[in-house]
Amino acid sequence: MTNVNPQDSSPQYRLPQKRDIVTAIPGPKSIELQGRRAMAVAGGVGSTLPVYAADADGGVIVDIDGNSFIDFGSGIAVTTVGASNAAVGDAVAEQARHFIHTCFMITPYEAYVEVAERLNHLTPGDHQKRTVLFNSGAEAVENAIKVARLATGRDAVVAFDHAYHGRTNLTMGLTAKTMPYKYGFGPFAPELYRVPTSYPYRDGLSGPAAAALAISQMDKQIGADQIAAIIIEPVMGEGGFIVPAPGFLPAIAKWARSNEIVFIADEVQSGFARTGAWFASEHEDLIPDLVTMAKGIAGGMPLSALTGRADLLDAVHAGGLGGTFGGNPVACAAALATFKVMEELDLPGRARDIEVKAGGRLHAMAAVTEEIGEVRGRGAMLAIELVHRDSKEPNPELTKALVAACLAKGVVLISCGTYGNVIRLLPPLVINDELLHDGLDVLEDALNELTAVRGGL
Ligand SMILES: *Cc1c(COP(=O)(O)O)cnc(C)c1O
């Protein structure tokens, strides 16, 4: 398990931090397990990679055939402190030896209260805040909408193009992309609206200009006084790691405030050190009314949170928010340990360091590779958008080929984007520099090979 070295506060690892491919990918054991899985697991559950995990630590994932991969995905921005962080593992074991569950709604416990205190302090703004805990990101988003509707007495909820907010019925309605998230799963909840976001690479608009468009649509098509909430990811995740043009988010937040609309920052993917700050909202001095969090919150344990203005969260009648497992004590213990590791290792600082190192290399690749339309992101939430030469049309074929080529060489990469043409880099923040550069070498070689050999796939 990754430990913190007491001498220099650097991460220490249990597994060798190296890329080592010893079989064809996938290896024989993974192929066999894939066969069992096909007969047991619902076909609707996808897996991007055909290899099965046996162990993971720091910046590596080892599969059941003994291959050691560099992890550039962190299980979708979850294992920020490493997939087997010692402090998190110890906290989990210690709590599990005492009680694994009592249900906070029946017999409450301190760890839940302490997580709430920490989140009230860590999230942007020093106003009075309250927190409620759940199990998944989608659940946190659903509850943010519940709170906003009750507190405002209004119905309409606005989300944006390229948004991703989850897979439950309400959050599918908020999510933009139909395939695979929504296709055939409707009808969706009423009173959900979608307006344009800011996507500088494709819309060419300044932040204020893009905001004016969105605001005009909200005003004319819905009516400001009908809107309970506006929800947005400060860096759009599944939609393609889109960083809105400067000024876009503050303009939307300001308009929301002046119309008494609840502004919800969905920080499920961008939160917890990932973008070089505790929350991505901080990069533009946003103070959201409500913040939704999950993914990186608890070192891999399932936990999510909704934190925000005390007057909004306390407006809800007792018993109106909750759930059997929400704020499970083991998950809370893991979250407290995770926050501590993030502070001890200064992981927001490490994310900024990775932005310089990895971002620099991606920009160098883009300078000589016409298929890289744009390099973007914040901190260790970085991406390249792959396009066809000249036309700049999305290039999902090259994206797929690149992910497969990197996996075969020992690098786990995940793609995203409405057009399926974005490669995202989400390494654990405890990855060491050597592994980071080795993974980028693999990416660079594979990209060179694919773009040269095929004359621009
Ligand atoms: C992943 C994600 C969600 C959904 O979280 P789950 O835990 O998968 O339900 C919601 N919002 C954003 C921004 C996400 O990235």
Side-chain angles (χ1 to χ4, degrees), residues 136-139 141 164-166 233 238 266 268-269 294-295:
S136 69
E139 216 185 335
V141 171
Y164 183 86
H165 298 293
E233 304 152 81
E238 307 299 303
D266 184 351
V268 166
Q269 189 158 168
K295 292 196 166 88

Side-chain angles (χ1 to χ4, degrees), residues 360-430:
R361 295 218 30 201
L362 294 176
H363 280 290
M365 290 179 214
V368 295
T369 313
E370 285 177 74
E371 283 82 358
I372 299 184
E374 189 179 43
V375 177
R376 59 177 178 249
R378 288 191 191 279
M381 187 170 180
L382 293 168
I384 50 177
E385 173 157 357
L386 296 169
V387 297
H388 288 278
R389 288 181 191 176
D390 309 321
S391 74
K392 303 291 173 202
E393 287 297 309
N395 196 337
E397 304 81 18
L398 175 60
T399 309
K400 269 207 191 84
L402 194 56
V403 169
C406 288
L407 182 71
K409 298 245 171 66
V411 178
V412 170
L413 274 183
I414 43 185
S415 60
C416 63
T418 298
Y419 314 112
N421 67 325
V422 178
I423 298 270
R424 49 177 153 178
L425 253 54
L426 288 168
L429 297 180
V430 294

